[in-house]
Amino acid sequence: MAQQPGNGGAQKPRLAKIVMAGESCVGKTSILRRYIELCPATKSMPASYIATIGIDFKVKTISFNGTTMKLQIWDTAGQERFHTFTTSFFRGAHGFVLVYDITSVESFQEITRWINDIHEKTDENVEIILLGNKCDKETERVIPKSRGEKLAWEYGIPFFETSAKDNINIEDAFSVLAKEILNNSSSLLLDLDVVDLSRKAQKRACCTW
């Protein structure tokens, strides 16, 4: 790996673009906030977050086997009226966190459409993980874990049931995705501290965990 001159030979991080995708109110923003800001289980989180309108992003730097990765994670809107706008940000992504809500049949049924959109607009070797979120709401469950596992198996992608509220499988899921990206992608760029801020995200109240 090339070394950055003038900084004592330290290696620059590899920059990976990851996109959160799925229907509105499945908990994408809560998952991202838990991973980026409040991953330790001892830290509390509010009972709800607001749904993303448009695009927002956060950054986290991690390290695997001596290689540093800067994850630029884009949080996209799930509302149908923003679908074209959302999918326009898929291009150039190295990985996707695809999320449904285990208490919502519709959000699960739409996963296939999201996967088709990903395959249409990205490289065929892009990495995807599937998350069945809100597993803390067991009494409200309508999607059995076995259905999520079966769907993930059909597409050959990793699967986790997660809870942003209870911090279940959040870091494990992102770690698996990041390792897959690092191992399989030859297109990771050196981080040049350049971020596209041309589109600002707006928010509106809507979601619970």
Side-chain angles (χ1 to χ4, degrees):
M1 185 182 298
Q3 293 184 338
Q4 185 74 9
N7 62 357
Q11 295 177 342
K12 291 287 286 182
R14 311 304 288 186
L15 180 63
K17 177 182 178 181
I18 295 174
V19 178
M20 308 285 296
E23 295 298 287
S24 181
C25 295
V26 296
K28 299 187 298 293
T29 299
S30 296
I31 288 171
L32 181 55
R33 292 288 297 271
R34 170 63 82 178
Y35 178 59
I36 296 293
E37 301 172 11
L38 297 167
C39 200
T42 55
K43 294 186 179 181
S44 61
M45 296 184 72
S48 63
Y49 275 113
I50 51 182
T52 300
I53 301 281
I55 300 289
D56 194 8
F57 78 94
K58 296 188 181 297
V59 175
K60 182 165 183 171
T61 301
I62 60 175
S63 181
F64 291 125
N65 299 323
T67 299
T68 301
M69 295 179 68
K70 180 174 282 190
L71 308 182
Q72 188 183 90
I73 309 174
W74 294 84
D75 184 16
T76 64
Q79 298 95 330
E80 177 62 32
R81 68 183 183 276
F82 294 111
H83 190 78
T84 300
F85 173 71
T86 292
T87 56
S88 69
F89 279 81
F90 286 9
R91 298 188 187 280
H94 301 96
F96 286 83
V97 180
L98 187 53
V99 186
Y100 69 89
D101 175 356
I102 69 162
T103 71
S104 166
V105 172
E106 180 182 1
S107 72
F108 182 78
Q109 292 175 335
E110 290 296 319
I111 289 297
T112 297
R113 182 178 69 143
W114 284 104
I115 290 178
N116 290 339
D117 286 335
I118 290 170
H119 288 163
E120 178 183 336
K121 296 182 180 295
T122 65
D123 185 276
E124 62 180 6
N125 295 320
V126 70
E127 303 297 332
I128 305 172
I129 59 171
L130 177 63
L131 306 186
N133 194 38
K134 306 187 186 180
C135 67
D136 54 284
K137 296 187 174 183
E138 188 60 39
T139 58
E140 301 174 42
R141 176 190 290 273
V142 295
I143 305 298
K145 184 177 181 180
S146 59
R147 288 188 65 186
E149 291 172 333
K150 181 176 183 294
L151 185 63
W153 177 81
E154 290 173 351
Y155 285 103
I157 59 179
F159 170 73
F160 295 86
E161 282 203 341
T162 58
S163 167
K165 180 179 180 182
D166 291 346
N167 194 24
I168 297 173
N169 286 335
I170 302 298
E171 185 145 10
D172 287 347
F174 278 95
S175 293
V176 166
L177 179 61
K179 288 177 182 177
E180 290 295 316
I181 292 171
L182 184 61
N183 289 337
N184 299 327
S185 178
S186 60
S187 61
L188 292 182
L189 301 175
L190 285 174
D191 171 38
L192 300 177
D193 294 323
V194 176
V195 175
D196 182 4
L197 296 178
S198 61
R199 300 181 184 274
K200 295 181 179 179
Q202 301 175 6
K203 308 265 187 172
R204 65 169 183 147
C206 151
C207 288
T208 61
W209 300 107

